[in-house]
């Protein structure tokens, strides 16, 4: 079975997939409790289905979102992958939402997705059916406005109501768990797994580790 972990939003979410079926789905009712409830939720979930040995893959919604939440989820996912020698699938919320929209709206060829980041900055990506125009990254409002002005037919979507208007309607959509199942199944079938060691949270800035300074 495939264990799905989502700590990118306010509420901790888990699911179990068996091929294309959702076996179990649970969301913790208290917000911002990822570090205290995640492992207990996983243990309780797996007890119902034969224990941890039944897990053959981990799928993680790896951001954007709260940095603390993302670290908690990724650390748990890596721990299971290393301990069980199973693969890791990382999904980006913006990319996934764009793909979901294009699959559900066959008459639309281009879509951009936004999520608020810091002041005057947004997580942003833009795609057509054929290619990625702007990969998921943090951009300022000036860049986003210029990109959208050059693409007048592009639909703008988001998982949240945006605090700033971008001179066109924004369609607010949830990322559906059924679509996550499709993405995970596709990635697993094509063996498009992520490198466990190099995996890092998709947050505002890339994570860098500096070499220690020579002191002697």
């Amino acid at each position: 079975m495939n264990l799905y972990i989502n700590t990118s939003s306010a509420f901790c979410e888990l699911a179990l997939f068996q091929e294309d079926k959702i076996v179990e789905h649970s969301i913790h009712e208290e917000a911002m409790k990822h570090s205290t409830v995640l492992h207990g939720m996983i243990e309780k979930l797996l007890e119902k289905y034969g224990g941890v040995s039944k897990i053959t893959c981990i799928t993680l919604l790896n951001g954007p979102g709260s940095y603390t939440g993302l670290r908690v989820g990724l650390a748990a996912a890596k721990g299971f992958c290393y301990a069980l020698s199973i693969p890791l699938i990382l999904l980006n919320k913006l990319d996934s939402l764009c793909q979901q929209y294009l699959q559900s709206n066959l008459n639309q060829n281009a879509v951009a997705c936004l999520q608020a980041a810091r002041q005057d900055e947004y997580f942003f990506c833009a795609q057509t059916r054929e290619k990625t125009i702007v990969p998921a990254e943090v951009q300022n409002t000036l860049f986003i406005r210029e990109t959208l002005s050059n693409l007048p037919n592009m639909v703008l979507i988001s998982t949240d109501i945006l605090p700033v208007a971008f001179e066109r309607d924004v369609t607010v959509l949830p990322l559906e768990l059924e679509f996550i199942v499709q993405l995970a199944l596709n990635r697993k079938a094509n063996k498009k797994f992520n490198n466990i060691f190099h995996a890092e949270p998709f947050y505002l800035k890339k994570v860098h580790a500096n070499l220690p300074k020579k002191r002697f």
Side-chain angles (χ1 to χ4, degrees):
M1 285 188 287
N2 190 337
L3 174 63
Y4 170 67
I5 302 172
N6 175 18
T7 55
S8 68
S9 59
F11 300 93
C12 195
E13 180 184 19
L14 293 179
L16 275 178
F17 310 149
Q18 181 72 54
E19 297 300 327
D20 61 344
K21 305 295 183 185
I22 300 171
V23 177
E24 189 83 19
H25 180 218
S26 62
I27 300 176
H28 195 268
E29 60 186 15
E30 293 182 80
M32 309 310 291
K33 294 288 186 179
H34 308 94
S35 61
T36 57
V37 305
L38 177 61
H39 287 280
M41 287 178 68
I42 293 173
E43 182 179 13
K44 185 178 178 181
L45 183 66
L46 296 182
E47 280 178 354
K48 294 175 63 177
Y49 296 97
V52 70
S53 62
K54 299 296 183 180
I55 303 303
T56 58
C57 182
I58 301 286
T59 298
L60 178 74
L61 193 59
N62 194 41
S66 157
Y67 187 52
T68 299
L70 296 179
R71 286 188 302 158
V72 168
L74 184 57
K78 284 188 173 188
F80 280 108
C81 289
Y82 277 124
L84 301 172
S85 297
I86 57 177
L88 173 66
I89 296 171
L90 300 181
L91 299 177
N92 182 280
K93 190 184 297 181
L94 275 66
D95 287 333
S96 301
L97 195 63
C98 284
Q99 293 172 47
Q100 175 183 292
Y101 182 87
L102 290 172
Q103 180 173 299
S104 301
N105 296 270
L106 299 178
N107 60 336
Q108 184 63 41
N109 188 53
V111 62
C113 186
L114 278 173
Q115 183 175 317
R118 295 180 298 204
Q119 185 176 1
D120 199 41
E121 288 188 328
Y122 289 82
F123 297 102
F124 177 74
C125 75
Q127 298 179 7
T128 67
R129 294 187 184 280
E130 294 76 29
K131 63 180 181 179
T132 298
I133 299 171
V134 180
E137 191 56 270
V138 177
Q139 305 290 355
N140 60 40
T141 54
L142 179 60
F143 174 88
I144 295 169
R145 290 182 192 280
E146 289 178 350
T147 301
L148 294 175
S149 67
N150 293 327
L151 299 163
N153 296 322
M154 179 165 280
V155 172
L156 189 57
I157 63 175
S158 178
T159 55
D160 309 299
I161 297 173
L162 301 178
V164 174
F166 283 91
E167 298 176 359
R168 70 179 67 186
D169 293 337
V170 179
T171 302
V172 178
L173 294 171
L175 182 56
E176 302 288 349
L177 186 61
E178 290 79 7
F179 189 70
I180 294 287
V181 174
Q182 289 183 39
L183 292 176
L185 193 61
N186 246 357
R187 290 275 297 272
K188 192 174 180 182
N190 293 299
K191 299 188 185 307
K192 291 186 177 180
F193 303 121
N194 291 88
N195 184 292
I196 301 170
F197 179 79
H198 291 290
E200 59 187 43
F202 181 80
Y203 189 58
L204 291 171
K205 302 295 180 185
K206 291 185 177 179
V207 179
H208 296 283
N210 296 322
L211 295 174
K213 295 180 180 178
K214 290 185 177 180
R215 301 190 179 276
F216 303 101

